């Protein structure tokens, strides 16, 4: 019998203090993210007991309710607020970025199968594969406007200006040019994250000021006009350069770490991977990954570490499915195994199995650490944006045509699966929490 989602939704809303207590709602592939006006009104233990809820987490900006494979889906310090903003802004854009990344990976396969790099077919596919990252400021201008509550069309207009070929062309004239005597740092803002987010955040305040100044009778034309007149120098002289400098600092810091100890970044992230996903903080690393793709052309940190995170959940779920005699757990584990292996979606296994039975979480950590050590030793890299899974393994194909990185990635995935499977089997688990007596 199918699940009654309407009833489940009503029960979750009621236990969160009612509709009036919910200020915002976001979703990802497996979880519902609520921002609440008053956290004290939320009955988290009551939500955890709902039959179709896999778990509840107090995370960045409110509450995350894990529904598992059926959702197509935070304390309030300064760090938490920043993480929440990044999550809300970057989340909607990630599927398109992954789509472009997969198309780029497909292009690599096609060229290996004989597609000429001189033809228009290659040029068009390459354009599509690079589009999401190139137009990232426009995509994030839209999501930022929705997050900060300002005019969407004006925000998208500002994002488009940031990647104007004319503005990019000014980089040939030196580090700075002049706008009415004001210094404009010449930067190629395509594929950048921080500059446009800062710009739209400032615009959200500028717009409120403009609304107070412009008479209602002429605001249709003069509100966007005055907004743009104010924002162009702010964007080109202040927020854009600040964001660019932040990106430069991140890149320099990571470069310095890699120069001293190239293995350390993936090892650190790999050891923290389960914790990052549990808290939803892995999204906060996306800007750094974007910076790496834009500068170095690859990621040797986040997605490499997530070979361990994603494939370990397949190994854990597979071990539970084969070892348990509990029909409820076997059904859950089979679904989780398929989702983790084919799509790289880990939350169902992580929350539905690992967190609930505890010992499989230890197995997950062991596998993530082993993967991180392996990838650090063999310098595994990701060349296209995407979460590791069976269908996305082409992201490890090196554009230069060599295959060693791809083979090491496959080996890392295989080792992760074996380690997580064996660890889960040896550590064991208590499946009585799933309600059915073992047969």
């Amino acid at each position: 019998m199918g699940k009654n989602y309407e009833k489940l939704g009503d029960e979750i809303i009621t236990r969160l203090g009612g509709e009036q207590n919910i200020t915002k709602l976001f979703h990802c592939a497996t979880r519902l993210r609520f921002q609440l006006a008053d956290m004290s009104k939320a009955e988290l233990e009551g939500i955890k007991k709902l039959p179709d809820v896999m778990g509840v987490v107090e995370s960045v900006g409110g509450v995350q309710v894990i529904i598992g494979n059926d959702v197509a889906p935070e304390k309030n310090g300064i760090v938490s607020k920043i993480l929440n903003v990044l999550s809300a802004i970057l989340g909607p854009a990630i599927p398109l970025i992954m789509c472009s990344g997969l198309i780029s990976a497909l292009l690599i396969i096609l060229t290996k199968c004989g597609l000429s790099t001189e033809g228009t077919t290659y040029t068009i596919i390459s354009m599509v594969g690079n589009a999401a990252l190139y137009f990232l400021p426009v995509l994030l201008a839209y999501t930022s406007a929705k997050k900060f509550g300002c005019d969407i069309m004006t925000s998208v207009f500002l994002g488009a200006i940031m990647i104007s070929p004319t503005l990019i062309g000014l980089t040939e004239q030196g580090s700075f040019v002049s706008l009415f005597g004001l210094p404009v740092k010449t930067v190629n803002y395509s594929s950048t994250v921080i500059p446009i987010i800062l710009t739209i955040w400032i615009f959200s305040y500028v717009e409120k000021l403009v609304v107070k100044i412009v008479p209602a009778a002429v605001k249709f034309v003069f509100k966007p006009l005055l907004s743009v007149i104010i924002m162009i120098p702010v964007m080109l002289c202040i927020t854009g350069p600040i964001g660019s400098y932040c990106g430069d600092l991140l890149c320099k810091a990571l470069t310095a770490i890699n120069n001293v100890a190239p293995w350390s970044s993936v090892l650190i992230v790999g050891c923290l991977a389960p914790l990052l996903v549990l808290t939803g903080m892995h999204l906060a690393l996306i800007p750094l990954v974007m910076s790496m793709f834009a500068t170095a052309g690859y990621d040797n940190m986040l997605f490499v570490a997530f070979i361990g995170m994603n494939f370990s959940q397949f190994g854990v779920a597979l071990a539970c499915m084969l070892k348990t005699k509990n029909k409820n757990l076997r059904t859950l584990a089979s679904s989780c195994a398929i989702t983790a292996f084919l799509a790289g979606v880990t939350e169902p296994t992580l929350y539905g199995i690992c967190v609930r039975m505890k010992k499989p979480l230890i197995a997950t950590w062991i596998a993530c650490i082993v993967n991180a050590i392996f990838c650090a030793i063999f310098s595994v890299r990701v060349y296209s944006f995407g979460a590791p899974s069976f269908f996305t393994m082409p992201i490890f194909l090196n554009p230069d045509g060599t295959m060693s990185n791809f083979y090491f990635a496959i080996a890392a995935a295989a080792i992760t699966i074996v380690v997580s499977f064996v660890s889960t089997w040896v550590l064991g688990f208590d499946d009585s929490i799933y309600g059915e007596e073992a047969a």
Side-chain angles (χ1 to χ4, degrees):
M1 183 177 180
K3 297 176 182 177
N4 189 333
Y5 295 105
E6 184 175 351
K7 180 181 178 182
L8 176 61
D10 290 340
E11 291 175 338
I12 292 175
I13 290 173
T14 299
R15 286 167 172 78
L16 288 176
E19 293 183 12
Q20 68 280 3
N21 194 41
I22 299 173
T23 58
K24 287 189 179 180
L25 168 63
F26 308 97
H27 66 80
C28 64
T30 56
R31 61 182 93 179
L32 297 169
R33 304 169 186 265
F34 296 91
Q35 288 186 18
L36 305 181
D38 186 355
M39 279 292 297
S40 65
K41 295 182 179 180
E43 301 176 15
L44 303 187
E45 292 302 320
I47 297 176
K48 291 178 182 179
K49 294 177 181 178
L50 295 175
D52 295 324
V53 171
M54 288 187 172
V56 178
V57 178
E58 286 188 67
S59 188
V60 186
V63 175
Q64 297 180 15
V65 180
I66 296 85
I67 307 297
N69 299 335
D70 304 305
V71 181
E74 287 172 79
K75 322 219 183 211
N76 291 319
I78 184 64
V79 174
S80 296
K81 290 180 179 179
I82 292 174
L83 293 177
N84 176 56
V85 169
L86 290 174
S87 175
I89 292 174
L90 289 165
I94 286 177
L96 279 177
I97 298 170
M98 292 182 66
C99 175
S100 286
L102 289 174
I103 291 174
S104 296
L106 175 62
L107 184 61
I108 295 174
I109 296 175
L110 291 175
T111 55
K112 290 184 177 296
C113 294
L115 179 67
S116 172
T117 58
E118 304 297 326
T120 56
T121 298
Y122 178 91
T123 301
I124 293 173
I125 297 176
S126 177
M127 174 194 68
V128 177
N130 294 322
L133 285 176
Y134 180 85
F135 290 104
L136 191 60
V138 177
L139 300 178
L140 298 187
Y142 174 83
T143 56
S144 297
K146 295 189 68 174
K147 172 62 180 176
F148 298 130
C150 51
D151 184 74
I152 292 177
M153 294 307 295
T154 304
S155 300
V156 171
F157 180 69
L158 293 172
I161 291 175
M162 293 193 82
I163 59 170
S164 166
T166 301
L167 184 62
I168 294 174
L170 292 176
T171 57
E172 299 177 0
Q173 299 187 24
S175 300
F176 288 90
V177 294
S178 174
L179 174 65
F180 292 113
L182 297 173
V184 174
K185 187 176 188 296
T186 55
V187 179
N188 182 348
Y189 289 109
S190 62
S191 304
T192 60
V193 173
I194 300 175
I196 190 61
I197 294 178
L198 284 176
T199 297
I200 304 306
W201 176 58
I202 295 297
F203 170 57
S204 67
Y205 291 97
V206 169
E207 186 180 42
K208 292 181 176 67
L209 176 63
V210 170
V211 168
K212 294 179 180 179
I213 296 175
V214 177
V218 294
K219 70 177 182 180
F220 182 76
V221 173
F222 286 96
K223 175 190 163 189
L225 176 61
L226 185 56
S227 296
V228 170
I229 290 175
I230 295 174
M231 285 305 303
I232 291 301
V234 170
M235 177 175 71
L236 298 182
C237 301
I238 302 176
T239 57
I242 288 175
S244 175
Y245 286 128
C246 290
D248 291 343
L249 288 173
L250 286 173
C251 185
K252 288 179 180 179
L254 185 60
T255 300
I257 292 174
N258 283 337
N259 287 339
V260 175
W263 46 267
S264 60
S265 55
V266 66
L267 193 60
I268 293 170
V269 177
C271 293
L272 295 176
L275 178 61
L276 293 174
V277 177
L278 280 169
T279 59
M281 292 177 64
H282 58 296
L283 290 175
L285 296 177
I286 296 297
L288 183 56
V289 173
M290 296 295 189
S291 176
M292 293 182 65
F293 276 121
T295 54
Y298 59 82
D299 163 40
N300 67 340
M301 180 183 64
L302 181 62
F303 292 127
V304 174
F306 271 52
I307 295 175
M309 186 66 237
N310 294 2
F311 284 104
S312 70
Q313 298 309 273
F314 169 68
V316 166
L318 185 63
C320 291
M321 181 183 71
L322 296 178
K323 187 172 185 178
T324 188
K325 296 181 180 181
N326 186 302
K327 292 182 180 179
N328 290 335
L329 175 57
R330 185 180 297 118
T331 300
L332 171 64
S334 61
S335 174
C336 290
I338 293 172
T339 305
F341 184 71
L342 298 181
V345 178
T346 61
E347 285 87 349
T349 309
L350 189 60
Y351 290 104
I353 295 177
C354 296
V355 172
R356 296 186 72 179
M357 294 195 296
K358 305 300 186 296
K359 288 185 178 179
L361 183 59
I362 299 175
T364 296
W365 239 297
I366 294 172
C368 285
I369 293 172
V370 170
N371 168 74
I373 294 173
F374 179 89
C375 291
I377 292 173
F378 293 100
S379 301
V380 180
R381 298 172 176 177
V382 171
Y383 291 95
S384 298
F385 191 100
S389 69
F390 175 78
F391 284 122
T392 60
M393 289 307 289
I395 64 178
F396 294 97
L397 288 171
N398 194 325
D400 68 6
T402 59
M403 296 296 293
S404 58
N405 186 78
F406 182 68
Y407 296 145
F408 283 136
I410 292 177
I415 291 171
T416 296
I417 293 171
V418 172
V419 171
S420 58
F421 182 94
V422 172
S423 298
T424 303
W425 197 283
V426 172
L427 291 173
F429 46 81
D430 179 11
D431 55 13
S432 64
I433 63 173
Y434 294 95
E436 182 190 75
E437 291 294 329

